[in-house]
Amino acid sequence: MRAPPLIFYLKVANLSQNKGYFITFEGIEGCGKTTQVALAGKYLGACGIPHLLTAEPGGTVLGEQIRRLILHETKVRMAPESELLLFSAARAQHVEEIIRPSLESGSWVLCDRFSDATIAYQGYGRGLDLDLICRLNRFSSRALVPDLTILFDTPVQTGLQRARSKTANLTGCLQGDRIEGEDLHFHQRVRDGYLRLAEQEPARLRIVDGTKDIEAIHSEVCTCLDALR
Ligand code: Z5A
């Protein structure tokens, strides 16, 4: 893991009075973001920065129940509109109960997926109305926008292959959850959607090449974190 630079310690000295930074990690399935959230957490720890690692959907009792319902109750038929509203409900609870209080206490929050995932998956992937999703995102997050979003861009075949072997290692089964089970075209639309978002908001979304090795990607993530003030 990379050692913190001197400038980081100088910035930390200024942080104690401020709110924490909200940083989200995004990308298609298997892009490596969960691995990078964990490494980034260790890096912040080594820098002496208070931080919280969390993920969507989930992070609260209600959110975990919604997660199970959306992703794992694959025999329950779910309309795309219901799926959208369930992800939004999980987010509202997560922001209210966990994310905002942590940021207000000065902790940095590193979140594995947030509102951009809803635009990419339910908007570009499922084809639901993008304006409506943006309004719902604002409503469910009470207009909370990440200070920085790191997008791990990975070809769909690579991501799905990694995700399937991870699932097989963890569960001994090749079958993924409701969204993992979608076809290649769906995941390609999601990837294209993320890239479109990065074009629209280049100051917030930083693209990192998710095909590089884990340490090289971690080093780029650290550079992004170091650049925050
Ligand atoms: N979803 C949605 O539709 N709408 C929403 O609003 C929200 C979510 C919030 C959550 O699934 C699903 O919900 C997700 C989107 C949808 N579904 N899909 N697709 P999840 O939380 O169960 O999982 P995930 O977020 O999709 O991905 P993941 O399983 O956590 O994987 P990952 O974060 O992309 O990658 P990883 O776990 O870090 O790495 C996967 C494997 O690759 C693992 O074995 C690593 O060791 C390996 N890896 C990681 N990096 C590398 C590199 N650089 N090289 C080689 N191998 C690597």
Side-chain angles (χ1 to χ4, degrees):
M1 198 192 68
R2 201 166 94 170
L6 180 61
I7 188 130
F8 221 127
Y9 293 105
L10 299 174
K11 284 178 182 168
V12 171
N14 283 333
L15 260 176
S16 53
Q17 312 281 341
N18 298 337
K19 281 189 183 176
Y21 287 110
F22 182 38
I23 302 144
T24 57
F25 290 63
E26 297 277 4
I28 61 160
E29 178 99 40
C31 66
K33 59 191 172 33
T34 304
T35 304
Q36 294 299 329
V37 169
L39 290 173
K42 286 189 184 150
Y43 180 66
L44 292 185
C47 293
I49 308 255
H51 61 278
L52 172 91
L53 309 186
T54 188
E56 291 207 352
T60 64
V61 172
L62 182 65
E64 290 301 330
Q65 292 192 19
I66 293 175
R67 177 187 177 87
R68 186 184 44 75
L69 186 60
I70 308 178
L71 297 178
H72 302 300
E73 294 288 344
T74 47
K75 294 204 173 98
V76 175
R77 205 186 142 262
M78 191 173 290
E81 292 79 2
S82 313
E83 186 184 88
L84 168 64
L85 293 169
L86 286 169
F87 277 118
S88 302
R91 177 160 311 125
Q93 195 65 29
H94 194 205
V95 169
E96 156 79 17
E97 202 177 312
I98 306 289
I99 299 177
R100 273 201 191 278
S102 301
L103 293 172
E104 272 155 24
S105 76
S107 179
W108 292 31
V109 175
L110 306 187
C111 190
D112 190 339
R113 297 196 183 282
F114 194 63
S115 300
D116 295 315
T118 318
I119 298 176
Y121 281 87
Q122 280 63 55
Y124 288 96
R126 298 275 190 234
L128 295 178
D129 184 83
L130 290 171
D131 287 337
L132 172 72
I133 294 175
C134 289
R135 276 188 283 139
L136 254 179
N137 277 348
R138 270 197 297 281
F139 175 71
S140 59
S141 68
R142 295 214 216 147
L144 179 66
V145 177
D147 297 295
L148 168 70
T149 296
I150 307 178
L151 171 59
F152 301 89
D153 182 49
T154 314
V156 166
Q157 306 267 17
T158 311
L160 290 183
Q161 211 164 25
R162 285 184 194 163
R164 281 173 192 149
S165 45
K166 179 178 165 184
T167 305
N169 285 339
L170 289 177
T171 64
C173 144
L174 277 174
Q175 200 190 350
D177 60 40
R178 184 189 303 274
I179 290 174
E180 255 177 71
E182 291 294 334
D183 65 17
L184 284 182
H185 300 291
F186 174 88
H187 292 283
Q188 188 60 51
R189 289 197 298 278
V190 172
R191 181 187 183 196
D192 294 343
Y194 272 124
L195 290 172
R196 187 84 57 89
L197 278 170
E199 263 171 36
Q200 289 164 352
E201 284 190 77
R204 175 173 68 85
L205 275 110
R206 302 289 155 78
I207 302 179
V208 169
D209 178 355
T211 63
K212 291 186 180 168
D213 68 59
I214 291 174
E215 269 309 314
I217 297 174
H218 173 57
S219 177
E220 287 189 42
V221 169
C222 293
T223 303
C224 293
L225 297 177
D226 292 348
L228 284 174
R229 317 186 255 122

